[in-house]
């Protein structure tokens, strides 16, 4: 599974000349690329800009990772900056902790969402707590990249939505992009952060494409965005659920209903201001996420909206989530994941008869 890149392996080098004019070739600042390419480019640009940045994990070097997200980085920056590790997730994260404590900025890859669980003790007990334990004297500027969620026909241990575990853990920033632009910008912001970031990458969106402005300012972590304007109800989503929410809003428009879509982008810090302002403007809200609904990120979002927007809500906040079961086998995946029909059913149930 080889991903083709828009640029040669040196990703953004402005060297060389235009054969017709002899002038130096200049890369355009706005480039159409896939999310996979945007993440690759963000790491390449960070490696190029800061010698303290390192990339490592299982098969990320010569192979370029199981999804080829690190393709070309080892060839360009050398095996001292992008290198393979043993199959030992706890060791990968533990090594990153030591490096971050000593001035480096490691970016580590977990091959799949559930493969990160062996490193969970390191993440919860050390990565998340080091800054608090040392009263801020020791910070851990590190990023843990995790391909997560379903939509690719993966079997068990390859399609978990594990965001609630990390969001529940104080001391971690948790990010999940839904567009190539955000994948690039939020990863650059995560690598630059002085504190640890769990960067959740929706696997099914790796091959989605869009324009990426490489010259755009690095975004602030913890800020949501309005992905679509609407007046009747607000759909709140993140990561892999954002395109589904947008598709539902498109379908609702054909039925004469205007749905607003909020893309959280960051789960922690959580942007209460943008989310609650959006819900107040419509009076109705549906939260959409792939993870099981019980004790979930979707539950937290629904609770926060209910507490802060109670007096303007026209109906209880609804959730459309995965089911409270282990992830479904590939042939049943489409029944497990939130889809347009389930979202529209939830919207229809928002007590419109009382409006």
């Amino acid at each position: 599974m080889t991903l083709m890149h828009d640029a040669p392996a040196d990703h953004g080098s402005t060297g060389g000349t235009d054969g017709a004019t002899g002038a130096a070739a200049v890369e355009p600042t706005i480039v159409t690329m896939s999310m996979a390419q945007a993440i690759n480019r963000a790491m390449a640009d960070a490696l190029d800009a800061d010698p303290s940045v390192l990339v490592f994990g299982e098969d990320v070097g010569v192979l370029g990772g199981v999804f080829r997200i690190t393709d070309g980085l080892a060839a360009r920056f050398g095996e001292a900056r992008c290198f393979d590790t043993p199959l030992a997730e706890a060791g990968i994260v533990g090594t990153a902790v030591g490096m971050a404590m000593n001035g480096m900025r490691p970016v580590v890859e977990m091959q799949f969402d559930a493969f990160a669980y062996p490193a969970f003790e390191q993440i919860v007990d050390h990565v998340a707590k080091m800054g608090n334990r040392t009263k801020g004297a020791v910070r851990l500027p590190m990023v843990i990249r995790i391909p997560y969620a379903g939509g690719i026909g993966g079997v068990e241990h390859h399609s978990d939505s594990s965001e609630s575990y990390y969001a529940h853990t104080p001391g971690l920033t948790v990010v999940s992009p839904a567009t190539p632009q955000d994948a690039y910008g939020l990863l650059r912001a995560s690598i630059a952060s002085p504190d640890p970031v769990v960067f959740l990458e929706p696997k099914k969106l790796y091959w989605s494409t869009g324009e990426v402005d490489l010259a755009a300012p690095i975004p602030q972590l913890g800020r949501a965005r309005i992905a679509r304007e609407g007046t009747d109800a607000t759909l709140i989503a993140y990561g892999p659920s954002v395109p589904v929410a947008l598709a539902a809003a498109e379908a609702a428009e054909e039925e004469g209903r205007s749905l607003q879509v909020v893309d959280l982008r960051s789960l922690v810090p959580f942007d209460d201001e943008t989310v609650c302002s959006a819900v107040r403007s419509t009076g109705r809200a549906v939260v959409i996420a792939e993870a099981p609904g019980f004790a979930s990120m979707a539950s937290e979002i629904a609770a926060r909206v209910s507490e802060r927007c109670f007096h303007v809500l026209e109906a209880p906040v609804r959730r459309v989530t995965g089911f409270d079961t282990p992830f479904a086998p590939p042939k049943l995946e489409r029944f497990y994941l939130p889809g347009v029909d389930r979202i529209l059913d939830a919207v229809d149930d928002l007590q419109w008869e009382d409006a």
Side-chain angles (χ1 to χ4, degrees):
M1 170 171 32
T2 301
L3 300 178
M4 300 302 294
H5 291 272
D6 296 318
D10 65 355
H11 299 280
S13 168
T14 56
T17 60
D18 185 309
T21 65
V26 178
E27 182 187 27
T29 60
I30 299 179
V31 182
T32 298
M33 58 178 68
S34 67
M35 180 179 285
Q37 292 169 321
I39 294 170
N40 179 289
R41 178 60 183 264
M43 287 187 285
D45 288 352
L47 285 161
D48 194 41
D50 185 349
S52 70
V53 175
L54 302 170
V55 174
F56 56 95
E58 298 164 4
D59 293 327
V60 303
V62 175
L63 181 65
V66 66
F67 293 102
R68 306 299 188 266
I69 307 301
T70 56
D71 189 28
L73 298 183
R76 177 180 175 187
F77 295 99
E79 293 183 358
R81 303 282 309 282
C82 178
F83 54 89
D84 294 329
T85 67
L87 302 179
E89 287 79 9
I92 293 169
V93 175
T95 300
V97 169
M99 289 181 166
M101 290 176 67
N102 287 277
M104 307 305 289
R105 289 183 176 270
V107 180
V108 301
E109 177 180 298
M110 305 284 103
Q111 280 196 336
F112 286 92
D113 26 58
F115 290 12
Y117 297 154
F120 198 65
E121 187 275 334
Q122 287 285 344
I123 295 170
V124 171
D125 280 344
H126 304 293
V127 175
K129 292 182 171 63
M130 188 63 68
N132 185 71
R133 180 182 296 140
T134 62
K135 296 183 178 180
V138 178
R139 310 284 285 273
L140 295 183
M142 57 182 287
V143 179
I144 302 171
R145 294 180 42 246
I146 304 177
Y148 87 119
I152 64 165
V155 295
E156 190 180 24
H157 305 310
H158 294 74
S159 298
D160 278 8
S161 291
S162 49
E163 62 268 28
S164 296
Y165 302 139
Y166 304 112
H168 180 73
T169 305
L172 299 176
T173 295
V174 184
V175 176
S176 183
T179 67
Q181 179 69 60
D182 279 345
Y184 177 83
L186 293 175
L187 184 52
R188 292 298 306 274
S190 298
I191 295 171
S193 172
D195 295 308
V197 179
V198 175
F199 195 86
L200 298 168
E201 301 170 4
K203 295 189 290 288
K204 72 178 181 183
L205 300 185
Y206 273 151
W207 301 277
S208 63
T209 60
E211 287 190 346
V212 177
D213 186 352
L214 301 171
I218 300 300
Q220 178 184 349
L221 297 175
R223 299 296 297 178
R225 72 181 181 98
I226 305 299
R228 180 187 174 105
E229 297 289 352
T231 57
D232 292 336
T234 300
L235 307 181
I236 305 167
Y238 56 89
S241 296
V242 172
V244 185
L246 290 169
E250 188 75 23
E253 185 176 32
E254 297 177 3
E255 300 175 359
R257 188 164 284 163
S258 174
L259 300 184
Q260 182 184 50
V261 178
V262 177
D263 175 3
L264 293 180
R265 304 201 292 179
S266 291
L267 306 184
V268 181
F270 189 84
D271 189 355
D272 285 302
E273 180 181 356
T274 298
V275 171
C276 291
S277 176
V279 173
R280 291 187 188 106
S281 73
T282 65
R284 292 177 170 85
V286 176
V287 183
I288 305 158
E290 286 192 12
F294 185 80
S296 64
M297 190 68 210
S299 302
E300 174 64 19
I301 297 167
R304 298 178 83 87
V305 170
S306 296
E307 290 170 353
R308 290 161 175 78
C309 304
F310 179 80
H311 293 290
V312 299
L313 287 173
E314 301 288 345
V317 178
R318 294 295 309 273
R319 292 175 294 158
V320 179
T321 68
F323 300 115
D324 295 327
T325 66
F327 196 84
K331 290 184 178 180
L332 300 177
E333 184 179 46
R334 69 185 185 278
F335 301 111
Y336 178 91
L337 298 174
V340 169
D341 288 342
R342 286 176 60 195
I343 295 170
L344 294 181
D345 286 345
V347 171
D348 287 343
D349 199 36
L350 290 176
Q351 298 184 3
W352 298 99
E353 65 277 11
D354 296 333

